[in-house]
């Protein structure tokens, strides 16, 4: 049996715990059950890096993990964070497999990461890290093999550098090597907004199911990065009241609802929600603000057994990856909080990535309107199926989503059979 300790980390243990519970519930074939706990490939790279004002050359560690290669190329983001490690990246690659399967995409899961604090990097430094990391990944990435995208600490510009580096090595432009690119390189506005808007589309649907309306409800959002900001804008456009938001610079609150388009203007200038004139300073913990819908849209592991009972929301939408620990999740269930799990709630990102990749491969760009319609159609159909599974099995939405995702991945593996 393979050594699972190789991937040891808090997040890996959590993801495997969730997986084991559902594997037991659906009586998953024992061979597949063991197999899916391990990524098929995990590449660890180290490379030299010099800062602009360097005294010594640093050695930076990076990873790319591909979980399942049975359904098509692998797909998933790249994160830059100081504490990135093999176990975390592996756990996130496994979540990507379930996520893609839940929305029916022909991808296996992957994830990458570089253990570096992106906030400490100048633009030039970030570019050097990105180009060298890309060069180190050359043996495992490819338009038909493994397609990176943005995640924590990376963005459209990072994707443009990856595309440029890869294209230079290959000798021809390869827009399909990454998704979440700038529009000028074949990316789309829909992809940029997809994770946030997709999350709100399924939230509105979930509210209908529990005989509430999203319009007029009080919403609290943790994080105003690429996910949080479009979740906020979509909520505002639907007539919900976004009453509190925070980011690394601080938090703001306005019980009457924050004017999100104005907040966009403020953050473009000041790079933080802090100091926004149309709201007060938030003095309490954002997760503990009383509201109808709480949207963690920043980092993982923020809802734990130590704060879960202080949460005063009826619905939690996991726009971030893995924001809730397994133990806290069980308490939320006991507290009758409806949780829309990350593998469903934030699947809009990879869904729009899929459309971007298809367009790049066809050299044919669709209209934004069509892209947006396809995105919402995919998300709402997936939600409907997951909801039905949860009703049928009398289980929560995370279990239902995992049932759908794991069954699909397992079916692909079983159908292909063993080689050799
Ligand atoms: N990083 C995003 C996620 O966790 C997007 C992945 C992608 O678009 O490939 O879902």
């Amino acid at each position: 049996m393979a050594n699972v300790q190789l991937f040891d980390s808090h997040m890996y243990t959590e993801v495997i715990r969730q997986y084991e519970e559902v594997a037991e519930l659906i009586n998953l074939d024992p061979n597949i059950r063991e197999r899916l706990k391990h990524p098929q490939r995990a590449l660890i790279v180290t490379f030299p890096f010099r800062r602009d004002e360097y005294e010594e050359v640093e050695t930076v560690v990076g990873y790319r993990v591909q979980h399942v290669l049975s359904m098509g190329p692998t797909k998933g983001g790249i994160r830059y964070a100081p504490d990135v490690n093999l176990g975390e990246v592996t756990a996130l690659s496994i979540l990507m497999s379930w996520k893609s399967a839940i929305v029916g995409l022909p991808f296996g899961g992957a994830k990458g990461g570089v253990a570096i604090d992106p906030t400490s990097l100048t633009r030039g430094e970030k570019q050097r890290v990105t180009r060298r990391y890309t060069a180190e990944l050359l043996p495992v990435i490819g338009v038909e093999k493994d397609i990176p995208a943005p995640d924590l600490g990376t963005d459209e510009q990072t994707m443009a550098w990856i595309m440029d580096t890869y294209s230079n090595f290959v000798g021809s432009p390869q827009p399909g090597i990454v998704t979440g690119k700038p529009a000028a390189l074949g990316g789309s506005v829909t992809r940029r907004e997809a994770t946030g808007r997709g999350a709100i589309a399924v939230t509105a649907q979930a509210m209908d199911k529990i005989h509430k309306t999203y319009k007029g409800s009080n919403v609290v959002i943790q994080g105003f990065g690429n996910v949080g900001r479009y979740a906020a804008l979509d909520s505002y456009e639907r007539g919900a009241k976004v009453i509190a938001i925070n980011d690394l610079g601080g938090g703001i609150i306005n019980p009457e609802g924050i004017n999100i388009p104005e907040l966009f203007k403020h953050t473009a200038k000041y790079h933080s929600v802090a100091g926004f004139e149309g709201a007060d300073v938030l003095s309490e913990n954002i997760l503990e603000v009383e509201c109808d819908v709480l949207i963690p849209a920043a980092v993982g592991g923020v809802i734990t057994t130590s704060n879960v009972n202080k949460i005063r929301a009826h619905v939690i939408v996991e726009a971030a990856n893995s924001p809730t620990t397994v133990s806290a999740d069980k308490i939320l269930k006991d507290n009758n909080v409806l949780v829309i799990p990350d593998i469903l709630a934030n699947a809009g990102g990879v869904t729009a990535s899929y459309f971007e990749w298809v367009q790049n491969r066809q050299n044919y760009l669709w209209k934004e309107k069509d892209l947006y319609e396809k995105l919402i159609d995919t998300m709402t159909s997936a939600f409907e199926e997951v909801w039905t599974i949860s009703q049928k099995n009398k289980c929560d939405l995370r279990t239902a989503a995992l049932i759908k995702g794991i069954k699909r991945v397992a079916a692909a593996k079983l159908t292909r059979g063993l080689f050799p």
Side-chain angles (χ1 to χ4, degrees):
M1 193 174 291
N3 184 359
V4 179
Q5 277 171 358
L6 265 178
F7 310 107
D8 230 3
S9 78
H10 178 67
M11 206 186 267
Y12 182 75
T13 314
E14 296 267 301
V15 165
I16 295 300
R17 218 173 121 192
Q18 283 175 354
Y19 164 71
E20 297 263 26
E21 282 179 16
V22 174
E24 189 60 36
L25 198 74
I26 61 175
N27 203 14
L28 189 63
D29 180 305
N31 295 310
I32 292 286
R33 193 182 293 201
E34 182 57 29
R35 185 73 196 102
L36 287 176
K37 285 193 225 162
H38 311 275
Q40 185 159 341
R41 293 183 186 145
L43 177 68
I44 305 177
V45 300
T46 65
F47 55 89
F49 167 60
R50 60 185 162 76
R51 294 188 191 258
D52 295 344
E53 313 294 332
Y54 76 108
E55 279 166 12
E56 57 183 49
V57 174
E58 294 169 37
T59 297
V60 176
V61 187
Y63 309 89
R64 184 74 183 168
V65 178
Q66 301 168 347
H67 178 226
V68 175
L69 281 74
S70 306
M71 292 95 73
T74 48
K75 184 89 194 78
I78 287 173
R79 59 171 51 181
Y80 291 177
D83 52 354
V84 158
N85 58 68
L86 181 62
E88 177 186 295
V89 176
T90 303
L92 290 163
S93 77
I94 297 175
L95 289 180
M96 281 308 303
S97 288
W98 312 150
K99 195 186 295 187
S100 289
I102 289 162
V103 280
L105 307 178
F107 293 139
K111 202 75 166 198
V114 177
I116 199 159
D117 177 4
T119 60
S120 74
L121 302 175
T122 63
R123 186 182 158 91
E125 288 169 345
K126 194 166 181 186
Q127 179 167 178
R128 285 203 292 282
V129 166
T130 302
R131 289 187 181 280
R132 182 59 193 253
Y133 170 65
T134 307
E136 297 298 333
L137 294 194
L138 283 174
V140 298
I141 57 171
V143 180
E144 310 282 336
K145 274 160 80 176
D146 181 16
I147 309 117
D151 199 87
L152 280 180
T154 58
D155 56 16
E156 291 183 5
Q157 181 57 68
T158 323
M159 296 306 115
W161 290 326
I162 296 178
M163 183 230 160
D164 185 64
T165 307
Y166 184 81
S167 300
N168 272 291
F169 273 100
V170 174
S172 58
Q174 299 289 332
I177 185 61
V178 280
T179 58
K181 293 179 289 295
L185 293 175
S188 70
V189 176
T190 301
R191 170 63 187 90
R192 181 186 302 158
E193 304 183 359
T195 315
R197 290 199 186 269
I200 301 308
V202 294
T203 306
Q205 217 178 340
M207 296 289 274
D208 284 349
K209 296 282 186 202
I210 57 172
H211 311 295
K212 292 188 173 166
T213 48
Y214 195 56
K215 188 176 176 176
S217 57
N218 290 334
V219 181
V220 169
I221 303 179
Q222 180 187 44
F224 204 66
N226 186 54
V227 180
R229 62 175 49 227
Y230 291 108
L233 186 62
D234 205 282
S235 302
Y236 176 87
E237 288 168 358
R238 286 172 189 259
K241 276 199 281 180
V242 182
I243 58 168
I245 304 180
N246 78 343
D247 62 18
L248 288 176
I252 55 172
I253 186 159
N254 180 350
E256 301 307 318
I258 297 164
N259 183 321
I260 305 299
E262 286 302 317
L263 185 61
F264 266 61
K265 288 185 202 155
H266 173 89
T267 54
K269 210 159 153 194
Y270 300 105
H271 309 291
S272 169
V273 298
F276 179 58
E277 276 183 3
D280 296 325
V281 175
L282 175 70
S283 49
E284 62 189 306
N285 186 315
I286 187 115
L287 299 171
E288 296 166 19
V289 176
E290 188 171 1
C291 60
D292 299 305
V293 180
L294 172 63
I295 309 181
V299 293
V302 292
I303 302 177
T304 66
T305 46
S306 42
N307 64 2
V308 66
N309 281 320
K310 295 186 197 142
I311 286 177
R312 292 178 294 161
H314 304 294
V315 178
I316 293 182
V317 184
E318 294 185 334
N321 283 318
S322 240
T324 315
T325 63
V326 176
S327 312
D329 195 37
K330 293 198 192 313
I331 300 174
L332 288 173
K333 209 181 323 176
D334 293 342
N335 293 354
N336 279 324
V337 179
L338 178 70
V339 178
I340 308 181
D342 50 4
I343 45 176
L344 174 63
N346 70 29
V350 72
T351 301
S353 276
Y354 168 65
F355 299 144
E356 183 176 330
W357 176 72
V358 169
Q359 292 176 88
N360 292 156
R361 290 178 83 215
Q362 295 178 335
N363 281 322
Y364 181 76
L365 292 184
W366 307 340
K367 287 194 180 116
E368 292 290 347
K369 184 175 142 287
D370 296 339
L371 275 171
Y372 178 74
E373 272 169 19
K374 279 181 201 296
L375 167 72
I376 299 304
D377 180 54
T378 307
M379 289 299 288
T380 48
S381 311
F383 179 85
E384 203 56 53
E385 280 180 60
V386 170
W387 183 266
T388 306
I389 296 171
S390 81
Q391 297 291 301
K392 217 163 108 192
N393 293 273
K394 298 195 176 15
C395 65
D396 59 294
L397 291 178
R398 189 184 319 277
T399 306
L402 283 167
I403 291 176
K404 182 165 191 260
I406 294 170
K407 274 191 174 171
R408 190 184 144 126
V409 175
K413 278 198 114 37
L414 281 167
T415 319
R416 279 189 57 161
L418 281 190
F419 171 81

